[in-house]
Amino acid sequence: MPGTVLLLAASPVGRGRLVDAAGVLPVLAAVAPAVLSGTDTANVVELADPLEPQAVLTRLRAAAAAPGPLTVYITGQLHLDRRQHQPHLALARTAPATVRYTALPWHWIREELRLRSAGATALFVDLHADAETWQYLARQPLDSGRTSAVYGRIAPPSGRRGLAEPSYMKAVATLLRSGHRPPLEQLHQQALARIADEAATNILLTARPPQSGDPHAALSAAVQAGRHGEADGLAAGHEQAAVRACGPASDEALHWAEVRADLAMFAGDAARSCRAWLRVAGVRLAAGQAPDAPAVEAAVDRAHHQWSCIRDTARARELGPALAELRLRVPGRRQGALENVQRHLRQLQAAQ
């Protein structure tokens, strides 16, 4: 099965740039796609200093939906948004005051990769943090999801003039240019050996995915085989067990509710997926989570996206008012999201 490779290098244009992220892309691009992926053949998507977080999300979502192995190489810098203090990957237009709207929330990466089977996804990251983000990461490890293998480093503020170098990712690329991709842990250690002086002060990232007994692996296998009913049945069983053990608003129960919403999307049932995301958002809000909490925004955004994919106008009309009501409480990061729902709902009602 062919693999997929996503090369993402991003940093702000202007004074906020900490690292010459895009400078690593020519070295990575010189590596054969099959070596980047570790498969016989691979499709490579390259994003150099992208402007819009939604555009990056679209590419990431498409890569995550690919059935074969996925390897993501990310080079850039991390900042915290001022409202929620959550880590974001800065993009070309990012400035300290606009992180929330112009940078890519790191939890989007985690969310898009979370239903991939264990062992099918690997992330290599070379990230630089500003002072505030560095302090945050000392208390709160960077979360890239439970099913992905993660290797790399996060470098502290350099304190020197000029741009920092993505030396870890360049070391990875140089090693791969030999035409051989060793086991990922070995590749990571070899790259660290080449930047040993820097690595001593870095946060080093090494996280292996769970073993095949993880229930997500069985779900992913069922989805890839087209057994969507079986996948939903498995997830429903886990959700019901979590509700009985921990309550409907528990993290575990909500996780499985979100998994079922994603499974409906993979099955092509946009209405069922939309309804499930609406329910998740409602439970989170009723449990006291803030309207701008990442998990709440993500649920409403996904409900909105799935609603826009519904082809049955009657079902879209049925779900539209609930989505519009939620959008009043959870406007999200995209300007005009509420107006978009209201406008589309008027068109649906006019078509009756």
Side-chain angles (χ1 to χ4, degrees), residues 68-294:
L70 170 65
T71 308
V72 182
Y73 298 85
I74 302 177
T75 309
Q77 58 192 67
L78 293 175
H79 298 275
L80 301 181
D81 71 287
R82 290 183 173 178
R83 182 182 295 184
Q84 297 171 327
H85 302 285
Q86 295 291 324
H88 289 58
L89 181 72
L91 303 183
R93 292 176 176 169
T94 300
T98 65
V99 169
R100 177 172 167 80
Y101 300 101
T102 60
L104 182 76
W106 192 262
H107 69 265
W108 285 9
I109 298 173
R110 180 193 67 219
E111 289 297 308
E112 292 305 320
L113 300 179
R114 67 196 174 97
L115 265 193
R116 290 184 56 83
S117 58
T121 309
L123 276 75
F124 276 87
V125 301
D126 189 342
L127 302 168
H128 287 67
D130 64 8
E132 183 183 17
T133 310
W134 182 254
Q135 293 177 1
Y136 169 91
L137 293 171
R139 305 185 305 269
Q140 183 81 29
L142 193 66
D143 183 2
S144 301
R146 67 176 80 188
T147 61
S148 300
V150 184
Y151 302 95
R153 62 90 180 253
I154 304 173
S158 66
R160 299 191 303 268
R161 290 190 175 184
L163 295 179
E165 285 288 320
S167 52
Y168 171 83
M169 194 64 77
K170 285 187 175 180
V172 168
T174 301
L175 290 163
L176 292 176
R177 286 185 69 177
S178 68
H180 169 64
R181 182 168 117 157
L184 300 187
E185 175 67 26
Q186 183 179 334
L187 175 61
H188 172 63
Q189 293 300 332
Q190 290 175 354
L192 290 178
R194 293 194 173 206
I195 63 162
D197 291 343
E198 294 180 52
T201 61
N202 293 172
I203 295 173
L204 303 182
L205 305 176
T206 306
R208 300 170 186 82
Q211 300 303 309
S212 57
D214 179 73
H216 299 80
L219 290 178
S220 297
V223 169
Q224 292 175 15
R227 303 191 306 271
H228 298 289
E230 175 187 331
D232 184 64
L234 289 170
H238 287 293
E239 181 186 11
Q240 291 163 9
V243 169
R244 288 194 298 269
C246 308
S250 64
D251 288 344
E252 191 68 13
L254 285 168
H255 167 74
W256 286 109
E258 291 174 344
V259 167
R260 295 188 68 194
D262 276 338
L263 291 173
M265 176 192 67
F266 289 134
D269 192 340
R272 179 160 60 92
S273 181
C274 174
R275 183 176 286 108
W277 282 116
L278 289 172
R279 185 173 70 83
V280 167
V283 171
R284 289 191 177 279
L285 288 168
Q289 295 187 25
D292 63 352

